[in-house]
Structures are given as structure tokens and as C-alpha cells.
């Protein structure tokens, strides 16, 4: 059984484990005030060519979303998200549990546009409704699409004009930035969004998301929020060590490139075999539509998610590749499909 | 510089790191449904000789406290805690942020008694005040004291009679159970408390707290709460692997014994030198009272917390030992004290 | 200027004011423990022919919704509501502010069906999403439609089978029960829903909603929740006196009948003039579609809400009648329309 | 049976009821945008000689406290209150239910001083604890004491220096301002505090608290918070009409003067009879210490609160007078005491 279920099936890149082993007996301050965390933050600022951002290292994505969004909003303010957005559907109401409504937008491709935000704003005009205040986007999105620079720029401009915060969930930012179709750089984001994070968990770390707060007004007292939400790791060094390892050279991007390359092979071969996809993806998540009979056969040897029923005979599945995906398994998977095709 | 600042200054026991390395490329299910987590839960149930408890592995202490307590209480219900209790003072209002008041009790030794709870109950009798519902105790406490079996039994009985839940913060349960003065066993707790946790973070793990839910009515849907609070680790295997390693033999207890032994050496020698302590401790935290001049000298070579001012000339400091504390450093510390004494 | 803007433009029915005057100097207990509140609760129970329900008198609708729903749900549980439901759109995120997500259902007529709930349940199957637990319906709905007995019965049965609570917002229950098309009685509800309320504010009281808790498990400690949400009126007598007055004879229903009759006249005459309506309404809210030029003329003498743009030339408006609506004003309004029509 | 239990036992001053009757059939906008509310706000601003404050009319005290404090604070910020403060003990955790811890201060007289706040600040210095941000005082306090101008000035200065908000609960502000010992004017408060309210409920209105927001930064979007907390009355006119009536001439102060005068008679006569008081009060609440035997006798004809046990033979009771308290009843009460004394 080989799994294409997600990008967090294995542990971590061996260099990360080695770094943990090498530093294990150094005594460090707790709660993210250790030398590794400080170094990691420095490295990340360098990569972004910015000294005026705040960087905080947190453990997971839902945790980062809820800590940041609840810190950024006043009680009557709401977030806007795509219906497919992680915070809207797959976080068990984590944002609402901190008191905030999420206003959802229907999308075809998981991406939000100024036009779709405008519609929400037009519907929310007085104190009998929540006040839309923060736009949540994911890059790459939950369905594999990525934002182009022009799109983020337009969102950024629109949000600033309308006094909205722009927040980017970057749980899979590595894959997005390393996509063939990408034209954004890590250093573009501090100019374009008010806060975003760089996902480690789904790109080779044991865990870890680096939250970057760009907007001055959002920085104050942020560590209080981390602590209050149970998100302050006692041994914060673990986060520091991992992000140092990912960013002291090009490891973070190399891992994402590998994941994308594996997806590319799958996509190209599936396309050649004339399979359709639910949506276009140039990142490490693919949603091909396969006959149910084929899916059943494949499930004997491969783990993956059934995404949605398409019709009585076909369903879409989700295939996720990662830094750890083996090329021979990818090729074997395709061969196995061929076997069952006429 | 050697640190007695806390019990989470180093990484993890080498066996834990080795286990992470050994299992690194095995593909596992996410979110705590992997084979290691399942195995860890089995082992913990065996150690408690109980099959009818639910065990969940979470990352940190504050996270566990807020997830559990907010899941256990209805909106109008409050927790009762010692004023020195971690949830009352050192979690940045994490419990209150989930909507619940904490009613505090003054104590000398950090421990709660039926008499002190009774007083709170007597003061809260109608709907104009919160309804006390959960008693939070820490073992060992935040000031190093431990509960005796008789004390927990009395609390347990009192709570059941008064329809209160008894919840034990076991962030330092290892040290408590391995104290010379302890007469409680891990397997005693499911009978005595409604929920408690077994702390890994402060006893040799990278991180991890094993929450044990004993009371039937508290079990339902608990994983929803873990997810909602951002406490569900994508690579849940990391928690599973660590707890397997700690509990597949006696490692957990061996580590705690070492920490206690180091504290014992400190305590005995400081006592021989006629230093007083803020409170009696038979666990891995000591609070000796030292002259400020001595403290200043010691700070040149040792890191520790200044706990509180005692008078114009003296202060109490906190010394914490751990699984990683080196005996030669303990002895050197004492020698250094001797040097500066007349 | 005459207003058809809502059903709370005037004060209260004169009998209610008179009752306040008559009882003004009687000394009463506070917080709803006065003799009038007790009497009101008795009367309401009589009207429902039920002694086993709990009745609480609250001030307003949003207040009642948030107090009840937050008391009924655990943190991970969500409410299901129509997109047009008051709690979803017009309460400034009041429910979310207590920590709960609302899952919305698209409807044509503002009404929820078992089929639409089933779809939500099918999409929410694990702990990565909220757990749907309470179905919120409004009768009459926010767009004037009412539920038939068969519909509520089907909902009730479906909810019980699926372990869901059924909660009915009855801010305009009077109008619903007095509609020509209604086949439900006040006494039907305790059998069919788990909790509901009987709206006074929009049916002749100064303010006041009588919350009826039918399901045993929802009753405990409810007064704590009222107090915690700031919903416990010091002079609770004011609520008691008003509900006594509304229900000591048939006043409550007489007032709703009058409101409906006024709406009926409007509906019949507008229908005769071939105006379309956004949705069918047999209650005191109508949503006729009028030419914008006509609307502008009418706005000179009448206040009403512009509901939505229909096309470039036409818009829907909302006309609300009440216990205080004067028949001559209704007729004058129709005459004024005729004047401006070709 | 005559009640000295509280200052909300009767309905409202007859002029208020008359005003409700007189205006009953005027059609008005809802939600506080009616002409009476606008007029009331104008009148209140005149009385304070300030045009730069925002005034909002809410229904009750707990409601006002929770709406204001939750709107003013960010999630990690806490309120500071006296242990006897209403928000700390008698609001069923209403503030905590909005997510905020209350840090309590022990006092003898219910009043907070800069020294006592300083102590709290000194103990809260990093992100592992909540950040104290708002100081809550009540005037008059829950135990009848009042603040002198010098005291409020000192608090004000201290709070500004320390970046703290100063919030005053004025549920019984009328009585405080009309106390013989008072040297504060209504118009002093906008200079001294950041927000406060003027209580109608306990001074002759049916209900109603006028919240005055003085600090610019606290004003934005406040109506959203009122709505979200269920505190926006549909028939907001009711609040407007009452405050117009209380403040269009001197009625508000006349009523408070009467209440105080009745308390004064009680205090003087009880003092002459050599009874002790729990605390000094120059307002409408008295806490005399009486023999239990006497208390039992008095309870046959009078309602009042047993405040606390003093010793085996004596208890303190709470006597509250109001705008409606009858002088002959006060005198009869004293006569009845005399009867039972040797």
C-alpha cells in the first residue's frame, strides 16, 4: 500500500531530524526565545528582504489561522473566505469558536476576486450584520490552484481601498511558489498582504508554520495571543531548528519542487490517458476523475481520498504528492491504471 | 552558564529521537490515527490497567487544559483552582478566553482541599453567580508540592458528592509519582479523577501530553474539540512515537526519578547549609531562599528564576531539575554557593 | 408620512400600558421572580395545555436566540439555518460570538426541509468539521411564509431520528398562527419542537419574548444563561405584566389577526392590480414588486423597506402591518398607488 | 410586608409612565434611531456640557458592562475590579463569557486605588499572563461607598500614565452624585473616565442605562456590539422616552435625593441606637449589623437581604432605599426595631 493521501504521511526530511539530534543537548530558553528561533526569524526576514515584519513560529495550520484571525479582528468583524477555504469547512468551527463569523464566497477554482468581495461588502452595510474586515485566501488553494501575482496585487489594492485586511494561508505556499505557473516570490508578500504564513508541516518539517505579520497595527502583543491559544511551544527550539534547516539554504524550495515534479508526472500521464480533472492544478494536489471500477482496483494498493461523486460511474479522487513521494511509486501507479484500462 | 530554569531546556531523551529517526519514512495516517498513536494509547491503558478510559495525545499543557476544560463545561460553569494554579495565573487567560471564569483559592502549599472547595460552593448558590463545576488540581503543583493518596481520595469523594468534576494537570506527574513521598500509582487516577494528563514535555519528550478521560460523560466527541482548538497535530505519529518510547518500558519513570534525585541532592545540601525554602517540595522544583548578594553571584554562571522577594536582603529562587540535569553541575552549583558563603 | 416599515413602530397596546400603570407601585421581587411573571408562565402553560415545559421571559429576539442556542450547544456543535434566517444574516454574528458556526441552507421560501438538512448532515461526517446539532426555523419566516403542520411534523421526526434539536424562532409566531393558511396550534409546538418562543415585541407588547423549553435536557440551569448574557431584566415584572395581559384572554391572537387582516387587504388589492410578489406570504409581511418610479412616489408619504432590486425598472419592497396598522391608511396607500398608475 | 430589598421593587416614576402613554401611538424608527432617543442623547450631552462624547442607551447593567468591556478589550486584555465589583461576583461570569479575565483586588470599602492597581500591574509583566487593560469601578460601589473627586482624578491620572482604560459602572450613579459627601458633577466624568454609564433602572426608570463613551478610540462601530450582544431594543424609543423624562428637568437627581434622604434617616436613627455598620455609606445602601433575633423579628414585616454573618449572634443586613421608598415605612421600620430592643 502506497499513500497519495496527503503531504504529511512521512516524518521529516532527514536533515531536519539530524539537526534535532545535533542540537539535542544544548540548553535553550523556552517559548520561542531560544537562539534557533531567533536565527530562523532572521533567515526568514533575509529571504523576504525585509526587516520590518514580525515572524512567529507556530505548530500547525488551524492553530495559526485561529490565533492570527482572532488577534486581528474586533468582536463584530468577520472574515471572508472561499467556500472551499480551510477555515470555512475543515477546522471544526475554530474561527467561529473565537467569536467571528466567516462569510463565504462560492468559487469555481478556490480563488477569491475583488468582484466577489465587493458583492459581500455591498450586502453588509449596517450594524445589523457583521462587518467584513479580513479576507482569507489560501495559496495554493485547497483544490490545488495557485494565485498569480496580478491576482494578489488586485486583491491587495482592493482590500486597502476598502479597509480590509488580507491574510494568506500558506500551508502549501512552498508548492505554490515552486509551481511552473507561479510568478510570485516570497519577498513579494510583505508588500501585498497584511499577514501570511509559510507552511513547514506539508513541506518536509515535522510540523511548523512561520507566521509573518506585515501590517504594523497587527504586531502589538502578538505573543500574548500565541500563549492564550495554547500555541506557544515550551520547547520552541524545535520550531527554530526546523526553519533554520529549511531556510539556511534552498531546502524548503527544493522539497516543494520535488513534490510538484511528482504531481506533474501524474498530471501529464493522466492527461495523456484522457482523464479529466475537477479543476486545473499546477501544484502538488491533483483531482482526476476516474471510473469507480478503476478506483476500487487502485484502492487495493494505494491510499488516496475520494473527493466527490461526479456521476453514477465516475468519481474524483485527490492525489497529493510531497517532498517524500517516490518517483517509482508514481510511475507504478500509472502503470497500474493502464493495466485496468481497456 | 548552566540552566536550572526549567525542565524543558534540552531536546528529548536520545531514545525518543532515535525512534523518530527509525520510523521516519513509514507512511502513516494523519491526525492521531496512525499506528504509533494507537499503540501508545494501548500502552497507556495497560499501565493504568484500564480499558474503559479514553486517551488523547496533545502537544502542550496550556493547550490540553483549555481544550479539556472548555469541552467539559457548559457556558455558565466555572473551574476552581488554587491561586498558584497554572490555569489561573500563567496561561494568559486561556480558560477565560473559552468563556469560563476560574474561581481561585488561596493556599499555602498550592494544594486544594475539600474544605477550601466547600467555601467556594457556599458562596455560589444562585444564578447571579457562576456555577462551580470543575476542580483543577496540579500534581505536582506549580510550587513543587505533591498530593498524597488520602488527599486525592478525599477530593474525589467530595467532588462526587457535590457533583463536581475533578481534573488533574499532570504536566509534572512523572516527578510527582516518583517522589519519595508519593503513595499514588498511575493506575489509581482513573478511579479518583474524571480526567487528567500525563506530561511528556517536562519529562523527556520533545512535547506531548497524554490526556486520559475517565468519566464516561466527558468522552463523547472529544476529537472535535481537539481539532477546533488547533490542537490536532497533522503528523500525530510524532506524539504516538514518543509516548510508545516513554511507556514501552520504564523510561518515563526512570527519567522522572533522575530529575527527582538531582533535586534531592540540591535540597539536602541546601538544607545542610541551613537555607530555608518557601515551601516543602519532594519533587523536581525547589524554592530556596538565598541572600540577594549570593543570587547575583550565582547568576553569573547559572540560569534560574527569581521567584519572589522575601525581604530586603533575601529572595526565593526556583531551581528545576530534569531528566537531563547533570549531577556534576548540581554539585558544582553547591560548591559555588559554598564559595560565596562566609 | 405613514410607516409600513415594521411591526414595532408604535408603543404597545393600550391595555398593556394600563396594566403597567395599575401595578406600578406594587413592590415585587426582581429578576423574573415576581408574581406577574409567575402568573404569565402559568397562563402560557395553560394555553399550551402543558405543565412540563419551562417558560422564561426575555426582552428581545436576538437576545433570546443567542441565550438559548449558546446554552443548548456544546462548543463543537453548529446550528443549521436558512440563508434568510435571522440568526444567519441579521444578528451581527451574535451566535458566532458565542462560539458556534451556523451552517446555511439556500431556500426559495425561507423554509427548511428534511431533505435540505440531510444534505448538510451528509457533508459533515467527521471531527474536521463542526457537528450539526440544532435546526433553527422561524415561523413565520423572515420573508413572510409560514410552516404547515405537516412540515413541522416532518422536521420534528427527522430531527429526532438524527439526534438534532429543533428550535423555532417565534418572533412573529402570532401572525403565523393567525394566518388563514395556518393549521398549527400553540399547543402543538411542545410536542414538535425542543424549544421555541412566542414573540411579544412584534405583536403589541413594548418588548418581550416568551421562551418555551420543551426538551427535558435543555432545561437545567437556564436562568444562569439568561443572567450571563445580560438578558435578566431587573424589573422582570414588566415582562410578566405584559404577557399576563396578552394571554389572560385572547388579546395576543386578536392583535395578530388584525395585523394579518391589514396585510390581506394589501395583498388582495395589489394582486388585483396585477403586481407580482417575491414570495407567497399569508402573514403580516408582504414583498410586492413595484416599478421604481412608483416606489419613489410612494416614499413621499410612506415609509417602507426597499427589499431588493428585481431589474432595472422594478424593485421589491417590504410592507409590514401590525396590531396598530390603521385600515384607512392601508386603503389610502392603495389609492395612492392607483393614482400613479396609468 | 414592606421591602427594603433593592431599588427596583416598584415600576417607574409616574411621569415616565405618563410619557410612555402620551407618545404611544407615534410611529418611530426602531433600534434607537427614533426621535426620543436622539433627544435623550442631546439632553445628556447638554447635562455633561460635552458634544464630543457618544451616548448609547441600553437596557440593563450586566448587559452594558459586558457589551462595553468586550468591545473595548482585545482578546488577551483583562479588566481589573474590586472583589466586591458587580462584574467580578454577580454577573454569572458575563465578562469571562466574552473571553476576558477579571483580575480582582481586595478592598475594605469597595473602592480601587492607584496603589492597588499598581500591584496588579507589577505582577503582570509578560505574555504568560493576561495584560491588564481596563479598570472597572462602580460609583456608588456595591457596598454603598462613593468616590470623591480627588480619588477619581488620581485613578484617571494613573490609568492614563499606564495606558489603562478607566470604566465606571454607574448603575447607582444618581445616588452617588446626590450624596451629601459627593463633590463630583456629572460633567466631571467625561474628563476623568474613558466610558461610564448613568443608571436609570435603579433610579426611577422601568429600565435603562445611558452609556457614555468619552475616549475617541472606543467609539467606532459601537452599535455593532450592542446588536451582537442582543442589547439593541427594537422599540428603542422606550429608552429615549425615559431618559428624556429623567433629564429634561431635574427629575433624575430629585429621585436620587429622595432615595438618599430615606437612607439618611435610617442611618441616623440606627446610629443613634448604637448599631454598627459593615462599611461607611453615604448613598442609598446601608449595611447595619443587627442581632439575629432582631433580624428574625423584622423579617416578619420587612424584606431585606441578609448580607453576611458577623458572629454567632449578629449579622449584617442590606437596606436599600429608592425614589419610591415611603418615609412613613422608614420610620415604622425604626419603631419596630425599637420595640424589640431592651
Amino acid at each position: 500500500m502506497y499513500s497519495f493521501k496527503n503531504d504529511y504521511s512521512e516524518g521529516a526530511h532527514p536533515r531536519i531530524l539530524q539537526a534535532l539530534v545535533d542540537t539535542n543537548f544544548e540548553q535553550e530558553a523556552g517559548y520561542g526565545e531560544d537562539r534557533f528561533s531567533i536565527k530562523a526569524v532572521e533567515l526568514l526576514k533575509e529571504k523576504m528582504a525585509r526587516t520590518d515584519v514580525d515572524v512567529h513560529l507556530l505548530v500547525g495550520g488551524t492553530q495559526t489561522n485561529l490565533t492570527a484571525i482572532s488577534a486581528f479582528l474586533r468582536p463584530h468583524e468577520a472574515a471572508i473566505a472561499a467556500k472551499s477555504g480551510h477555515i470555512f469547512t475543515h477546522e471544526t468551527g475554530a474561527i467561529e469558536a473565537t467569536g467571528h463569523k466567516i462569510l463565504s464566497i462560492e468559487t469555481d477554482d478556490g480563488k477569491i476576486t475583488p468582484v466577489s468581495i465587493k458583492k459581500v461588502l455591498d450586502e453588509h452595510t449596517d450594524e445589523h450584520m457583521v462587518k467584513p474586515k479580513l479576507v482569507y485566501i489560501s495559496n495554493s488553494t485547497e483544490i490545488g490552484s495557485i494565485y498569480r501575482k496580478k491576482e494578489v496585487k488586485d486583491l491587495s489594492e482592493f482590500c486597502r481601498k476598502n479597509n480590509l485586511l488580507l491574510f494568506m494561508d500558506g500551508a502549501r505556499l512552498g508548492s505554490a511558489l515552486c509551481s511552473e505557473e507561479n510568478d510570485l516570490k516570497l519577498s513579494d508578500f510583505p508588500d501585498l498582504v497584511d499577514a501570511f504564513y509559510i507552511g513547514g508541516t506539508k513541506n518536509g518539517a515535522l510540523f511548523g508554520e512561520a507566521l509573518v505579520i506585515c501590517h504594523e497595527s497587527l504586531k502589538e502583543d502578538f505573543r500574548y495571543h500565541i500563549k492564550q491559544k495554547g500555541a506557544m511551544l515550551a520547547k520552541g527550539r524545535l520550531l527554530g531548528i526546523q526553519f533554520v534547516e529549511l531556510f539556511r539554504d534552498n531546502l524548503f524550495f527544493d522539497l516543494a519542487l520535488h513534490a510538484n515534479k511528482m504531481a506533474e508526472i501524474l498530471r501529464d500521464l493522466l492527461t495523456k490517458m484522457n482523464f479529466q480533472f475537477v479543476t486545473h492544478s499546477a501544484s502538488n494536489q491533483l483531482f482526476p476523475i476516474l471510473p469507480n471500477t478503476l478506483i476500487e482496483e487502485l484502492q487495493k494498493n494505494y491510499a488516496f481520498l475520494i473527493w466527490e461523486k461526479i456521476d453514477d460511474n465516475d468519481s474524483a479522487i485527490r492525489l497529493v504528492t510531497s517532498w517524500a513521494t517516490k518517483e517509482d511509486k508514481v510511475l507504478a501507479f500509472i502503470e497500474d491504471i493502464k493495466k485496468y484500462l481497456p
Side-chain angles (χ1 to χ4, degrees), chain A:
Chain A
M1 181 72 64
Y2 192 76
S3 174
F4 294 108
K5 216 164 179 179
N6 57 51
D7 29 19
Y8 40 88
S9 292
E10 288 85 1
H13 189 271
R15 264 178 52 188
I16 281 177
L17 286 185
Q18 192 56 50
L20 291 178
V21 170
D22 291 346
T23 59
N24 192 45
F25 281 103
E26 298 181 26
Q27 288 191 318
E28 287 293 334
Y31 305 115
E33 296 184 318
D34 61 283
R35 287 166 295 182
F36 302 109
S37 296
I38 291 163
K39 178 74 186 161
V41 169
E42 272 169 24
L43 278 173
L44 286 164
K45 288 183 178 182
E46 271 174 38
K47 296 275 171 187
M48 291 182 279
R50 289 287 284 261
T51 55
D52 62 341
V53 295
D54 278 5
V55 180
H56 300 277
L57 308 180
L58 288 93
V59 171
T62 298
Q63 184 184 80
T64 306
N65 287 330
L66 80 87
T67 304
I69 293 174
S70 72
F72 297 165
L73 298 182
R74 293 183 63 204
H76 65 303
E77 295 174 342
I80 296 175
K83 212 159 214 170
S84 52
H86 207 257
I87 58 165
F88 189 70
T89 49
H90 282 102
E91 301 191 352
T92 318
I95 302 303
E96 289 89 349
T98 68
H100 301 281
K101 193 182 189 76
I102 304 172
L103 301 163
S104 68
I105 291 176
E106 294 275 4
T107 71
D108 287 330
D109 57 2
K111 294 197 283 180
I112 286 182
T113 62
V115 171
S116 60
I117 302 172
K118 179 71 166 53
K119 197 159 162 284
V120 175
L121 297 188
D122 288 348
E123 290 167 0
H124 290 81
T125 54
D126 70 22
E127 65 266 21
H128 294 267
M129 307 182 90
V130 290
K131 185 174 179 177
K133 180 67 187 175
L134 178 146
V135 174
Y136 167 95
I137 58 174
S138 308
N139 193 24
S140 63
T141 70
E142 295 75 7
I143 54 173
S145 53
I146 65 165
Y147 280 88
R148 305 275 303 176
K149 188 165 185 176
K150 172 77 167 60
E151 293 170 325
V152 182
K153 267 190 156 166
D154 289 351
L155 281 172
S156 183
E157 210 172 290
F158 180 87
C159 286
R160 273 162 207 182
K161 262 189 202 150
N162 289 280
N163 199 22
L164 296 170
L165 298 168
L166 184 54
F167 177 77
M168 186 173 73
D169 177 331
R172 290 193 176 96
L173 185 58
S175 177
L177 291 183
C178 295
S179 165
E180 291 178 318
E181 300 180 6
N182 174 63
D183 58 356
L184 279 156
K185 295 192 302 285
L186 191 55
S187 57
D188 289 331
F189 293 105
D191 288 334
L192 296 173
V193 305
D194 296 300
F196 72 105
Y197 59 98
I198 304 166
T201 307
K202 290 170 180 165
N203 196 31
L206 291 172
F207 54 84
E209 314 292 312
L211 176 68
V212 184
I213 307 184
C214 317
H215 195 298
E216 202 54 39
S217 73
L218 305 179
K219 293 176 184 172
E220 196 185 2
D221 290 342
F222 194 78
R223 280 176 58 82
Y224 283 83
H225 300 275
I226 298 178
K227 176 71 186 178
Q228 186 183 72
K229 301 310 183 212
M232 191 173 275
L233 201 59
K235 300 185 181 177
R237 63 193 290 150
L238 305 176
L239 289 162
I241 291 164
Q242 294 187 81
F243 275 97
V244 166
E245 205 53 41
L246 287 171
F247 284 95
R248 70 177 168 83
D249 53 17
N250 221 39
L251 184 60
F252 180 81
F253 299 101
D254 291 344
L255 296 181
L257 270 170
H258 176 81
N260 285 357
K261 201 184 144 201
M262 294 302 104
E264 212 180 300
I265 295 174
L266 280 172
R267 192 183 54 199
D268 288 354
L269 292 173
L270 288 166
T271 304
K272 275 190 195 146
M273 292 155 83
N274 287 320
F275 288 112
Q276 304 294 310
F277 292 81
V278 168
T279 191
H280 174 70
S281 164
S283 72
N284 71 324
Q285 296 190 91
L286 300 175
F287 301 79
I289 298 167
L290 306 182
N292 294 335
T293 49
L294 172 56
I295 290 171
E296 275 165 43
E297 285 299 329
L298 290 171
Q299 285 178 318
K300 291 175 188 166
N301 295 312
Y302 301 95
F304 48 79
L305 220 66
I306 308 284
W307 190 250
E308 59 179 344
K309 190 185 158 170
I310 299 296
D311 57 37
D312 283 353
N313 301 317
D314 303 277
S315 298
I317 65 169
R318 185 179 79 158
L319 298 175
V320 188
T321 57
S322 81
W323 64 277
T325 302
K326 293 177 183 160
E327 189 166 347
D328 59 338
K329 296 293 184 181
V330 168
L331 297 173
F333 178 75
I334 295 293
E335 286 311 307
D336 279 357
I337 291 182
K338 284 184 185 162
K339 252 186 264 172
Y340 296 103
L341 286 188

Coordinates of all heavy atoms in Angstrom, one line a residue, chain A residues 289-295 309-315:
Chain A
I289 N -10.6 12.7 -12.4 CA -11.9 11.9 -12.4 C -11.7 10.6 -13.0 O -11.3 10.4 -14.2 CB -13.0 12.7 -13.2 CG1 -13.2 14.1 -12.5 CG2 -14.3 12.0 -13.3 CD1 -13.9 15.1 -13.3
L290 N -12.0 9.5 -12.2 CA -11.7 8.2 -12.7 C -13.0 7.3 -12.6 O -13.9 7.6 -11.8 CB -10.7 7.5 -11.8 CG -9.3 8.2 -11.6 CD1 -8.4 7.4 -10.8 CD2 -8.7 8.5 -13.0
P291 N -13.1 6.3 -13.4 CA -14.2 5.4 -13.2 C -14.2 4.7 -11.9 O -13.1 4.4 -11.4 CB -14.0 4.3 -14.3 CG -13.0 4.9 -15.2 CD -12.2 5.8 -14.4
N292 N -15.4 4.5 -11.3 CA -15.4 3.9 -9.9 C -14.8 2.5 -9.9 O -14.2 2.1 -8.9 CB -16.9 3.8 -9.5 CG -17.5 5.2 -9.3 OD1 -16.7 6.1 -9.0 ND2 -18.8 5.3 -9.4
T293 N -14.9 1.8 -11.0 CA -14.3 0.4 -11.0 C -12.8 0.5 -10.9 O -12.2 -0.2 -10.2 CB -14.7 -0.3 -12.3 OG1 -14.4 0.6 -13.4 CG2 -16.2 -0.6 -12.4
L294 N -12.3 1.5 -11.6 CA -10.8 1.7 -11.6 C -10.4 2.1 -10.2 O -9.4 1.6 -9.6 CB -10.4 2.7 -12.6 CG -8.9 3.2 -12.5 CD1 -8.0 2.0 -12.6 CD2 -8.7 4.2 -13.6
I295 N -11.2 3.0 -9.6 CA -10.8 3.5 -8.2 C -10.8 2.3 -7.3 O -9.9 2.2 -6.4 CB -11.9 4.5 -7.8 CG1 -11.7 5.8 -8.6 CG2 -11.8 4.8 -6.3 CD1 -12.8 6.9 -8.4
K309 N -18.3 12.5 -5.7 CA -19.0 11.7 -6.7 C -19.2 12.7 -8.0 O -19.7 13.8 -7.8 CB -20.4 11.3 -6.2 CG -21.1 10.3 -7.0 CD -22.5 10.0 -6.4 CE -23.4 9.4 -7.5 NZ -24.7 8.9 -7.0
I310 N -18.9 12.2 -9.1 CA -19.2 13.0 -10.3 C -20.5 12.6 -11.0 O -21.4 13.4 -11.3 CB -18.0 12.9 -11.3 CG1 -16.7 13.4 -10.7 CG2 -18.3 13.6 -12.6 CD1 -16.7 14.8 -10.3
D311 N -20.6 11.3 -11.3 CA -21.9 10.7 -11.8 C -22.0 9.3 -11.3 O -21.2 8.9 -10.4 CB -21.9 10.9 -13.3 CG -20.8 10.2 -14.0 OD1 -20.3 9.1 -13.5 OD2 -20.3 10.7 -15.0
D312 N -22.9 8.6 -11.8 CA -23.1 7.2 -11.3 C -21.9 6.3 -11.5 O -21.6 5.3 -10.8 CB -24.3 6.5 -11.9 CG -25.6 7.1 -11.3 OD1 -25.4 7.9 -10.3 OD2 -26.7 6.8 -11.8
N313 N -21.1 6.6 -12.5 CA -19.9 5.7 -12.8 C -18.6 6.3 -12.5 O -17.6 5.6 -12.4 CB -19.9 5.5 -14.4 CG -21.2 4.8 -14.8 OD1 -21.7 3.9 -14.1 ND2 -21.8 5.3 -15.9
D314 N -18.5 7.6 -12.2 CA -17.2 8.2 -12.0 C -17.1 9.1 -10.7 O -18.1 9.6 -10.3 CB -16.9 9.1 -13.2 CG -17.0 8.4 -14.5 OD1 -16.0 7.8 -14.9 OD2 -18.0 8.4 -15.2
S315 N -15.9 9.1 -10.2 CA -15.7 10.0 -9.0 C -14.4 10.7 -9.2 O -13.5 10.2 -9.9 CB -15.7 9.1 -7.8 OG -16.9 8.5 -7.5

